[in-house]
Amino acid sequence: MYYPVLHQSKFPGEIDNEKENFFSVSAAFISTFAIWLHLKINDRELLTLVLAIGLYFLFRNSFSHSDRRIKTASFVLGILFGLFYTLHDMSLFYGQTYFLRNLLICFTGLGLLFSAVLDRVFSFFEKAEFALAPQQKITAGKKCAVFFGSFALIYLYFVFWLLLEFPGSMSIDSFNQLMQSVGLLPYSNHHPLVHTLLIRFWYNLGLKLFDGNQNNALALYCAFQAFVMAGCFAFLFETLYISRMKIKHISLVLLALFVVGYHGMYSVTLWKDVLFAGWTLVLSCTIWRLCLFCAKNPQKTPVLETVLLFVIGLLFCLFRSNGLYAFVICVPFLFAFFIKKAPAVSFTPIIVLLLAFVIKGPVFSHFGVVPSDLIESLAVPAQHIARAVRDGAELSEDEYALLSEVIEISSVPTEFTPYCADAIKNLVREKNNQEFLKENLGEFFRLWLNLGLRNPMSYLIAQIDLTSGYWYPDNNGWTFTSELIADPETLTLFELHKDCKLPQTLHSRIQNLWVKFYSLPLISLVFSIGTGLYFTLTAFGVCFVKKAYSTMLTFLPVLAVIFTLLIATPINDEFRYIYGLFTTLPLLCVIPFVPIEKTSSLPIDNLMC
C-alpha cells in the first residue's frame, strides 16, 4: 500500500540541529536552576519560566560562529566569573544538605551563562571602534586647552565638595598619620611615610598661615590633594584627546565623573588611597601613551613620557605597601614589551623598582622610620589559622605550644571575625611577642601549611570571606566617610570639627540624594567593586579578541593591585583600597575601541602639553 510522505517544510525559526537544541535547552535549564539557587527564588515563581525561555534563546544564538579567539575569551572569563559566584555561595551553602550538588549546579549554570553573554558581547565588539575625531594636527595648544579646561572644571567641582565637607574627612588611619605629622607619634611606614610627610608640610604650613587654626590647616591639605587629583583626571582627558576621541565623548566621560559623586568625596578625604589612585590612573595613561608613541616612532624615546614613567612609578611604589609589589609584577611585562621598541623606556621601571627598595629599606632604616609590624604582613595566613582553630581543628602539642607563644588561643573562637583580620592581628599584638614570631617564621609557615592540609575547607572559606568583596559584586561595604572619625582620646588632641561652608540644607539634601543613588538598581553598580572588576576583565578580553596586545599592557597596574589585594588584604571589601580601579576604569573601557594604528598619523614627538 502506498503511504504518502509529507514533506517537512522549514519555517522561520525551525530547529535544524537537534544537538544544538539539546544543548540550548539543557544549558537554559541548568542556568535557571543555578540562578534559582543563587538568588533563593521561591519554588513556584512563574518568572523562572520566563527566565528559562529567555536563556534558551540566548544559548541558541551563542557559540554559533567559528572565531576561536571569541570562544576562548568568553569561555575563560565565563568560567572565572562563574567560579567567583560559586566560591561566594560555597561559604553560604557549606554544611547544608546537597552542598556539593548545589555548588556543581551553580558553577556549571553560571559559568555557561556568563560564557554565553560574553560570547555575544565579544562578537558585537570584535569590530567595534569609537567614531574617532577627524585626522587633524594635534597641537600643543589644543592639548593644553583640553588639559587645563577639564582641570578647571574638575577642580571647581572638588572645591565645591571641600566647602560642603569643610575642612575635609578623616578616619582612624588619617588621625594616626596626622599625629605622626605633628610629632605625637614616631614616624612609621605602617602608613606610607611619603604621604605622612606631605600631610606634615601642608598642615604645618596651614597652621602658620591661619594663626594655628587647625580646621583651616586641614582644609589646606585637602585643597592640595584636590588640586593633584584634578590634575590626574585632566591628564586622563588629555590622553583620551590625543587618542582621537571626540570632544563630545570626552564630555560624557567628564559628566560621568561628576555624577558618581565619590570622586568629589574622596578628593577631600585624608587617605593615602586617594593619591595612590591618582598615581594608578596616571601610570596607566602613561603606559598607553608610550604604546601610542612606539607604534608611530619605533626605536625613538619619548623623553617626557619616560620621565613621567619614572616619577609616577616611584610614587606608585611609595604610596602603598602593595603598590611596590604590584609594580614588581608590572616590570617584567613592561621590560619585555619595550626592550626592542624603546630600550630606555624598558629599563626605567627596573631603575624605579631598585630605587623604591633602597628608599623603603636602607634609607628609612637610616632615619629611624619604624617599619610595619610583622603580623600586618601575615594577616591572611593568620586568618587561615584562626579560622581552622575556630572550626575546632585539632592541634598537636608542638603546634599548640608554638601558637601559644604569639597569641592567646582560647580567645580566638570568640574574637575571630570572618570579614576582617584586625581582631586576630590585635590578639597577636596584645601578646607582644612578635620577635619570637620573626625568629621562628619557618616553623610558623610549616604549621600554617600542615594545618591547611588537614583543614582545607576552613582555609578556603577564610580566604573567600576575607577577599570576596573584591571579586563578588553584591558586597556592600562602606564606600566613603564624611566625618572626622577617631577614638575620643585622639579627638581631644585636636580642635577639628565639621564646619560646612554652604547652606546646611544643601548638605542634607546631597547626603540624602547620595543614599538614594547608592541603593538604586543598576545605577548602584557604579559603587560595586566586583562589578568594576568584571568590566575591567571584559575590556581586557575585548583587547584579546581584537589582538590589541599593546593595549592590554595598560591594564597591568590595576590588575596587579587587585592581585596583591587578593593575597594580602586585611579586610573584605574596602572601597578605598581599590579606588584606583575606578579612577582608571574610564580609560580601560575606552582604549579597547581606539585602534593604535588609526590614531593621529603625526610624528608624536611630544605627547605631553
Side-chain angles (χ1 to χ4, degrees):
M1 182 178 293
Y2 173 73
Y3 295 96
V5 178
L6 297 177
H7 175 67
Q8 294 182 348
S9 59
K10 294 182 180 180
F11 296 97
E14 186 176 353
I15 298 170
D16 296 320
N17 191 321
E18 291 185 3
K19 290 183 179 179
E20 184 178 343
N21 184 47
F22 177 76
F23 167 77
S24 301
V25 172
S26 302
F29 176 78
I30 295 173
S31 296
T32 303
F33 198 171
I35 294 172
W36 176 78
L37 283 171
H38 179 75
L39 297 180
K40 299 178 178 60
I41 302 173
N42 291 334
D43 295 353
R44 294 174 177 80
E45 175 57 68
L46 181 61
L47 287 177
T48 55
L49 177 59
V50 178
L51 176 63
I53 293 172
L55 292 179
Y56 166 79
F57 286 105
L58 170 66
F59 286 111
R60 281 288 296 169
N61 290 292
S62 300
F63 313 115
S64 58
H65 52 82
S66 58
D67 193 316
R68 291 185 178 181
R69 299 183 70 82
I70 293 179
K71 288 182 177 179
T72 300
S74 59
F75 177 76
V76 171
L77 286 181
I79 292 300
L80 180 62
F81 295 168
L83 179 63
F84 285 159
Y85 270 72
T86 305
L87 288 175
H88 178 266
D89 288 343
M90 177 178 289
S91 62
L92 301 179
F93 293 155
Y94 184 55
Q96 296 183 6
T97 308
Y98 306 121
F99 168 64
L100 293 178
R101 184 209 68 176
N102 291 345
L103 285 184
L104 181 61
I105 290 173
C106 279
F107 177 65
T108 305
L110 295 177
L112 285 170
L113 176 59
F114 278 117
S115 296
V117 171
L118 289 169
D119 179 84
R120 295 292 82 213
V121 170
F122 292 147
S123 297
F124 179 79
F125 285 133
E126 181 187 12
K127 304 297 182 182
E129 296 176 0
F130 270 115
L132 301 181
Q135 201 82 333
Q136 58 186 354
K137 187 176 182 181
I138 300 177
T139 64
K142 292 178 180 178
K143 290 186 293 180
C144 286
V146 172
F147 180 89
F148 288 109
S150 58
F151 172 83
L153 291 173
I154 296 168
Y155 191 58
L156 285 174
Y157 173 69
F158 288 168
V159 168
F160 166 80
W161 276 97
L162 178 56
L163 296 175
L164 191 71
E165 298 293 339
F166 195 90
S169 300
M170 299 176 65
S171 67
I172 294 175
D173 287 347
S174 311
F175 273 101
N176 183 279
Q177 287 187 271
L178 186 59
M179 291 172 72
Q180 293 181 45
S181 301
V182 297
L184 295 176
L185 288 176
Y187 285 123
S188 166
N189 203 39
H190 177 71
H191 301 296
L193 178 64
V194 178
H195 183 232
T196 303
L197 294 177
L198 268 180
I199 297 170
R200 174 185 176 180
F201 174 81
W202 290 102
Y203 186 78
N204 288 340
L205 178 62
L207 292 177
K208 293 179 181 178
L209 292 177
F210 302 112
D211 296 325
N213 188 305
Q214 295 184 23
N215 257 24
N216 290 345
L218 177 60
L220 183 63
Y221 168 80
C222 291
F224 160 77
Q225 180 175 278
F227 184 89
V228 173
M229 291 303 294
C232 293
F233 283 113
F235 189 71
L236 163 67
F237 293 115
E238 188 205 316
T239 301
L240 296 179
Y241 174 71
I242 67 170
S243 302
R244 289 188 54 221
M245 190 175 181
K246 289 184 175 181
I247 293 296
K248 64 179 181 181
H249 294 150
I250 293 176
S251 300
L252 290 176
V253 178
L254 180 61
L255 179 62
L257 183 147
F258 293 154
V259 169
V260 295
Y262 47 68
H263 294 303
M265 178 66 74
Y266 272 49
S267 70
V268 295
T269 301
L270 197 149
W271 277 336
K272 57 185 178 290
D273 314 275
V274 178
L275 289 178
F276 179 74
W279 311 144
T280 305
L281 170 60
V282 175
L283 180 60
S284 298
C285 287
T286 302
I287 293 172
W288 168 245
R289 293 161 80 114
L290 287 167
C291 292
L292 288 179
F293 183 94
C294 292
K296 300 299 180 182
N297 304 273
Q299 300 304 316
K300 292 185 179 181
T301 301
V303 177
L304 293 177
E305 266 72 20
T306 304
V307 171
L308 188 61
L309 177 63
F310 175 83
V311 174
I312 295 300
L314 190 58
L315 292 173
F316 183 82
C317 292
L318 296 179
F319 263 74
R320 278 202 62 124
S321 55
N322 68 316
L324 177 62
Y325 302 112
F327 201 74
V328 169
I329 297 172
C330 295
V331 166
F333 296 96
L334 294 173
F335 179 82
F337 180 81
F338 288 112
I339 185 62
K340 293 183 178 180
K341 300 177 183 295
V345 174
S346 66
F347 285 100
T348 301
I350 297 176
I351 297 171
V352 167
L353 198 58
L354 293 175
L355 184 57
F357 275 111
V358 169
I359 292 173
K360 298 190 76 169
V363 173
F364 282 5
S365 177
H366 174 76
F367 287 100
V369 178
V370 180
S372 177
D373 59 354
L374 183 58
I375 190 60
E376 188 69 31
S377 303
L378 300 176
V380 172
Q383 191 79 346
H384 292 163
I385 294 172
R387 177 67 190 233
V389 171
R390 197 203 73 164
D391 290 348
E394 294 185 3
L395 298 172
S396 67
E397 291 184 6
D398 290 341
E399 290 173 336
Y400 192 92
L402 190 63
L403 278 181
S404 297
E405 291 290 336
V406 296
I407 194 171
E408 191 64 45
I409 297 178
S410 60
S411 300
V412 170
T414 55
E415 295 294 324
F416 177 83
T417 53
Y419 302 107
C420 182
D422 285 354
I424 299 302
K425 290 190 297 183
N426 290 334
L427 282 179
V428 173
R429 288 166 180 150
E430 288 174 9
K431 194 74 172 183
N432 196 25
N433 197 16
Q434 292 194 57
E435 193 62 33
F436 179 85
L437 175 62
K438 184 178 181 180
E439 293 172 356
N440 296 273
L441 197 57
E443 292 297 321
F444 277 98
F445 178 77
R446 279 188 284 274
L447 185 154
W448 169 79
L449 182 61
N450 291 331
L451 190 62
L453 292 174
R454 302 199 304 267
N455 303 273
M457 190 59 71
S458 292
Y459 275 35
L460 179 58
I461 292 179
Q463 185 69 24
I464 291 169
D465 288 342
L466 199 57
T467 63
S468 60
Y470 301 103
W471 45 261
Y472 179 71
D474 193 23
N475 276 44
N476 297 314
W478 73 321
T479 303
F480 65 93
T481 177
S482 61
E483 303 295 335
L484 299 169
I485 302 174
D487 59 84
E489 292 183 4
T490 302
L491 287 176
T492 59
L493 299 175
F494 298 95
E495 297 175 3
L496 294 170
H497 59 278
K498 281 290 184 174
D499 183 21
C500 177
K501 300 300 183 181
L502 298 175
Q504 192 61 42
T505 53
L506 177 63
H507 184 276
S508 300
R509 288 178 181 177
I510 289 178
Q511 292 295 333
N512 292 335
L513 182 63
W514 179 279
V515 172
K516 292 179 181 178
F517 188 69
Y518 189 86
S519 59
L520 286 175
L522 294 181
I523 294 177
S524 62
L525 292 177
V526 301
F527 301 95
S528 168
I529 299 173
T531 300
L533 174 62
Y534 287 26
F535 271 80
T536 300
L537 292 177
T538 301
F540 189 79
V542 172
C543 294
F544 173 79
V545 168
K546 289 174 169 287
K547 301 181 182 179
Y549 301 117
S550 58
T551 304
M552 295 167 72
L553 203 66
T554 310
F555 290 72
L556 270 178
V558 167
L559 294 180
V561 168
I562 293 171
F563 178 76
T564 58
L565 281 175
L566 294 183
I567 62 175
T569 181
I571 194 167
N572 175 271
D573 54 357
E574 193 81 352
F575 189 91
R576 64 187 175 111
Y577 286 178
I578 199 62
Y579 178 47
L581 168 63
F582 293 89
T583 57
T584 313
L585 198 57
L587 174 73
L588 301 183
C589 287
V590 166
I591 58 176
F593 309 104
V594 182
I596 288 180
E597 67 275 8
K598 292 185 180 181
T599 54
S600 176
S601 60
L602 294 169
I604 311 176
D605 295 323
N606 181 13
L607 294 179
M608 301 281 288
C609 284

